[in-house]
Amino acid sequence: MVSAPCFSGDPPTGFRDILLREGPQGFAKAVRQHRGLLLMDTTFRDAHQSLLATRVRTHDLKKISPFVAHNFNNLFSIENWGGATFDVAMRFLYECPWQRLQELRELIPNIPFQMLLRGANAVGYTNYPDNSVFKFCEVAKENGMDIFRVFDSLNYLPNMLLGMEAAGQAGGVVEAAISYTGDVADPTRTKYTLEYYVQLAEELVKAGTHILCIKDMAGLLKPRASELLVGALRQRFPEVPIHIHTHDTSGAGVASMLACTAAGADIVDVAVDAMSGMTSQPSMGALVACTRGTSQDTGIQIEKVFDYSEYWEMARGLYAAFDCTATMKSGNADVYENEIPGGQYTNLHFQAHSMGLGNKFKQVKKAFVEANKLLGDLIKVTPSSKIVGDLAQFMVQNNLSRQEVEAMADELSFPLSVVEFLQGYIGIPYGGFPEPFRSKVLKDLPRIEGRPGASLPALDFQQLEKELRTRHQEEEITPEDVLSAAMYPKVFDEFKEFTATFGPVECLNTRLFLEGPKIAEEFEVELERGKTLHIKALALGDLNRAGQREVFFELNGQLRSILVKDTQAMKEMHFHPKALKDIKGQIGAPMPGKVIDIKVEEGAKVDKGQPLCVLSAMKMETVVNSPMAGTVKKIYVKPDMNLEGDDLILEIE
């Protein structure tokens, strides 16, 4: 059982009090005038996204929140929302992301909250109607969000400006973030130069950002490059606060952040020691200790950092099944070659494992480099990094080299994310799209010119609310529910169906939630104050033909039983005919995944390259296209069916 100290009384005043009193501009001015280095703590968001596949539950964040409020009131901010946490909360943790924000705000009233906003992508992986992004920021601010770090995965200015305007109009502090790649200290790297970054910063400052951020999502910012980049920005923008974000994948994170500080940065990102290092942020304790007694002293007590870290050392153990240390024992300087973002690294590994590529992760990392070259050397951060990762896994799954992909581009069934990127769905990359690769992949598919969201019709929130009320048979659908559905329609529906069936699982402690009770174990679940369930696990029945087991237990002393799907046993029971590669008309699954759409019927005539069905695995969708013209003889799959690689989808003659 992980415990945290209890506190009574109000926490001391912090930077949020300045924000509430002075507003965003006054807050930014106070930050710039502050003596000493300011820290943003990523432990509540990016640290666990990077180390634990975003799986940390609100249950464990709430326990330590009062301690943080009372002992870390001079933090610049706590990053606790946005990024992957929004969909993972619903998709895997079965909890409401808005409720997390509300509950943490109540427990930490004195420290600014910060979120990661993907520009025109909001907290999703695609573009949304403009009014959805504006409404999202408005409701986030109402629920307690303060600072919006706004970025675009391609540094595509029109997408960034939309996100900045939405956050600013909501009354939030706008922190425009330039995503960093390459190496400004290396004269052979000629695409993303110092001049490129300074010019982009010029546009963001002109657009009214309160704070300027460098978002080094893969940890590529070396100490010399830090001096050059931050020094140039500080000289050019003496009045604008500069905030630096990095990852410690190579092990050089602390050195780089100290170099940034010396060059004039006001704020750097850290994670508490037990949640720092490797693909996470540099160590909070190290930065506090290294600056103590200097002009950059953080004012944070190192002893409190030790106590804070001790809690997370215990809590982290609960998430061992998701910990990157299962496969990554230390930092690795190969990140300077593959440029995989820290927040993507563990998710990419789990995704590879789920697709049967766990033992080929070294090949996936090498393919990531080749996929990036195929796509034109992109800025790589969600969702562009996911596109590169999807293509890399596709190449390894199908044993394809970069040269083979280029040669066969007009025949292959690429992941949907790759096709949509080439169509222009997330914006225009710096330097343009790769040709002739783009034209070979797209053929006659439509292309979007300019900002993608500009051509999308406005979302009718009232109509969506009405549909949700009908679909989920609920009288009260909140504005937060409507926005969750707007961002992730299918994920939200599945989340609501789950909670309708199983109730508020956030009441369970983390071990019970992730592992379930042991036989004969007794435990209590507090649904609300004064309403507690006493449960004892008794026995598991045999597996039936539907892949279910009867679970026997006592509930408040009464014997009960319920049928539960044994998902692991169902995987082991999987039997499906395989596509024979020497029979031309047999179409097999290019990867393991769930069938989410079948686009043809038996007897239908199909052309070469025509979409046949769509598979999905760990957020990666792949459209299976016909390799030949002919007639669909037989379909072997149904929607929601789970397939392994090479399982037979259909036959064409």
Side-chain angles (χ1 to χ4, degrees):
M1 192 74 168
V2 180
S3 59
C6 295
F7 291 88
S8 58
D10 294 332
T13 58
F15 265 90
R16 187 163 189 259
D17 297 277
I18 297 173
L19 174 58
L20 295 176
R21 185 175 66 248
E22 305 289 340
Q25 288 186 324
F27 173 77
K29 190 174 181 182
V31 168
R32 186 70 191 101
Q33 292 174 346
H34 178 80
R35 293 186 177 181
L37 178 64
L38 288 168
L39 303 179
M40 179 177 94
D41 179 17
T42 69
T43 305
F44 280 46
R45 207 279 303 174
D46 202 20
H48 74 85
Q49 178 171 323
S50 302
L51 296 177
L52 305 175
T54 329
R55 291 309 200 276
V56 171
R57 303 170 68 228
T58 303
H59 180 88
D60 296 312
L61 297 172
K62 285 166 59 180
K63 281 185 182 178
I64 194 63
S65 290
F67 177 82
V68 173
H70 282 80
N71 293 286
F72 292 88
N73 57 299
N74 50 355
L75 284 172
F76 167 76
S77 66
I78 294 171
E79 189 198 37
N80 60 0
W81 215 59
T85 58
F86 193 88
D87 69 295
V88 168
M90 295 186 288
R91 193 190 301 264
F92 297 121
L93 305 181
Y94 303 110
E95 54 183 53
C96 174
W98 300 96
Q99 188 175 331
R100 172 180 295 191
L101 180 55
Q102 294 158 2
E103 292 179 345
L104 293 180
R105 180 79 285 168
E106 192 173 330
L107 294 168
I108 309 177
N110 56 332
I111 304 171
F113 283 176
Q114 182 151 343
M115 74 165 289
L116 191 62
L117 186 79
R118 297 167 178 159
N121 304 134
V123 288
Y125 300 94
T126 186
N127 272 269
Y128 297 98
D130 292 355
N131 70 327
S132 295
V133 180
F134 277 81
K135 188 69 174 176
F136 183 90
C137 291
E138 177 190 321
V139 176
K141 179 71 172 61
E142 289 171 357
N143 276 271
M145 187 47 59
D146 299 303
I147 304 168
F148 294 77
R149 176 176 284 171
V150 183
F151 76 100
D152 179 74
S153 69
L154 300 173
N155 281 344
Y156 182 52
L157 194 59
N159 279 352
M160 291 186 72
L161 295 178
L162 180 94
M164 291 169 65
E165 188 182 349
Q169 194 167 299
V173 176
V174 179
E175 181 178 299
I178 298 172
S179 296
Y180 178 84
T181 195
D183 184 355
V184 296
D186 183 351
T188 68
R189 303 292 296 269
T190 57
K191 185 170 184 179
Y192 301 104
T193 62
L194 183 62
E195 184 183 7
Y196 163 79
Y197 291 112
V198 173
Q199 284 182 350
L200 187 54
E202 187 90 51
E203 295 293 335
L204 299 175
V205 171
K206 194 189 301 179
T209 189
H210 299 117
I211 297 169
L212 188 61
C213 173
I214 296 298
K215 180 176 166 55
D216 176 24
M217 56 280 172
L220 305 180
L221 197 58
K222 299 169 190 170
R224 177 60 183 145
S226 300
E227 293 170 11
L228 289 172
L229 181 56
V230 176
L233 293 175
R234 174 49 66 228
Q235 185 176 6
R236 181 69 192 83
F237 310 108
E239 304 300 322
V240 181
I242 297 175
H243 189 165
I244 310 296
H245 168 85
T246 194
H247 289 257
D248 201 21
T249 312
S250 71
V254 172
S256 294
M257 292 306 95
L258 289 172
C260 287
T261 304
D266 301 279
I267 317 141
V268 299
D269 289 0
V270 295
V272 73
D273 300 14
M275 292 290 286
S276 70
M278 294 197 290
T279 55
S280 179
Q281 278 66 53
S283 154
M284 177 187 286
L287 265 295
V288 169
C290 287
T291 56
R292 188 157 66 172
T294 73
S295 61
Q296 299 299 330
D297 197 315
T298 63
I300 291 172
Q301 296 179 49
I302 192 75
E303 295 78 15
K304 298 301 182 184
V305 178
F306 300 154
D307 293 339
Y308 185 25
S309 186
E310 186 179 0
Y311 170 83
W312 280 107
E313 191 171 348
M314 298 292 291
R316 184 170 173 175
L318 297 170
Y319 300 92
F322 307 102
D323 202 311
C324 73
T325 55
T327 54
M328 187 181 184
K329 303 304 180 188
S330 67
N332 196 332
D334 73 356
V335 72
Y336 294 128
E337 296 299 318
N338 59 51
E339 300 182 348
I340 298 173
Q344 183 186 21
Y345 199 99
T346 49
N347 284 323
L348 184 65
H349 189 270
F350 280 110
Q351 190 180 33
H353 186 79
S354 76
M355 295 172 64
L357 302 176
N359 63 336
K360 295 183 178 179
F361 191 57
K362 188 175 181 180
Q363 290 170 249
V364 171
K365 289 198 287 184
K366 287 183 177 179
F368 194 94
V369 177
E370 296 303 301
N372 179 48
K373 290 175 181 174
L374 272 168
L375 297 171
D377 187 12
L378 301 179
I379 300 283
K380 290 170 290 297
V381 60
T382 306
S384 61
S385 57
K386 178 184 179 298
I387 293 160
V388 179
D390 287 354
L391 181 54
Q393 290 178 105
F394 171 81
M395 291 166 69
V396 175
Q397 181 82 43
N398 294 283
N399 198 25
L400 294 167
S401 68
R402 176 185 163 195
Q403 291 72 23
E404 287 169 328
V405 172
E406 285 178 320
M408 301 164 60
D410 57 345
E411 300 175 23
L412 295 170
S413 297
F414 286 98
L416 188 62
S417 62
V418 174
V419 177
E420 291 185 342
F421 160 71
L422 293 170
Q423 287 180 274
Y425 273 56
I426 67 167
I428 301 171
Y430 178 63
F433 290 99
E435 289 292 0
F437 182 67
R438 184 194 195 198
S439 294
K440 289 174 75 173
V441 173
L442 295 185
K443 298 184 266 303
D444 296 328
L445 288 174
R447 306 175 188 209
I448 296 170
E449 304 300 333
R451 185 171 68 81
S455 58
L456 295 175
L459 181 66
D460 186 335
F461 295 111
Q462 288 186 329
Q463 179 60 30
L464 179 55
E465 180 183 344
K466 187 178 176 183
E467 290 171 8
L468 292 172
R469 195 177 288 118
T470 302
R471 193 180 311 149
H472 299 291
Q473 299 179 339
E474 290 185 15
E475 281 298 315
E476 186 183 5
I477 291 289
T478 66
E480 290 80 7
D481 289 334
V482 173
L483 284 163
S484 294
M487 297 291 123
Y488 290 97
K490 191 168 186 290
V491 173
F492 177 75
D493 283 346
E494 290 172 352
F495 163 64
K496 293 297 279 186
E497 287 163 13
F498 180 94
T499 53
T501 304
F502 296 102
V505 293
E506 67 267 16
C507 299
L508 297 171
N509 71 46
T510 296
R511 185 187 65 79
L512 286 171
F513 175 80
L514 293 176
E515 299 175 14
K518 297 175 174 64
I519 297 301
E521 180 180 354
E522 297 185 49
F523 57 96
E524 293 184 345
V525 179
E526 186 178 19
L527 297 178
E528 55 189 65
R529 188 172 295 224
K531 190 175 182 180
T532 302
L533 303 179
H534 301 268
I535 303 171
K536 181 178 182 180
L538 298 175
L540 282 178
D542 293 333
L543 192 70
N544 65 21
R545 294 178 69 181
Q548 299 171 314
R549 294 184 189 275
E550 192 168 10
V551 179
F552 298 90
F553 60 98
E554 283 183 8
L555 177 63
N556 293 341
Q558 301 293 313
L559 182 63
R560 301 282 185 91
S561 73
I562 188 171
L563 284 171
V564 176
K565 277 185 183 177
D566 188 330
T567 51
Q568 187 57 41
M570 288 173 76
K571 282 182 185 175
E572 292 166 4
M573 290 166 62
H574 177 88
F575 177 78
H576 192 92
K578 296 289 183 182
L580 301 175
K581 294 188 177 177
D582 54 346
I583 299 180
K584 192 177 179 184
Q586 293 202 351
I587 314 301
M591 65 175 197
K594 179 186 282 190
V595 179
I596 60 172
D597 191 15
I598 300 169
K599 296 187 172 290
V600 293
E601 297 177 350
E602 289 182 4
K605 292 192 182 301
V606 293
D607 297 322
K608 182 179 178 180
Q610 182 175 331
L612 301 173
C613 80
V614 183
L615 302 179
S616 175
M618 290 288 288
K619 304 182 187 177
M620 173 178 164
E621 290 187 4
T622 295
V623 179
V624 180
N625 297 321
S626 178
M628 57 186 284
T631 303
V632 178
K633 181 181 176 184
K634 186 173 181 181
I635 297 175
Y636 291 84
V637 297
K638 296 177 181 176
D640 294 327
M641 184 180 282
N642 287 301
L643 302 179
E644 298 297 327
D646 296 324
D647 278 359
L648 183 59
I649 295 173
L650 52 77
E651 284 184 283
I652 296 173
E653 61 179 4

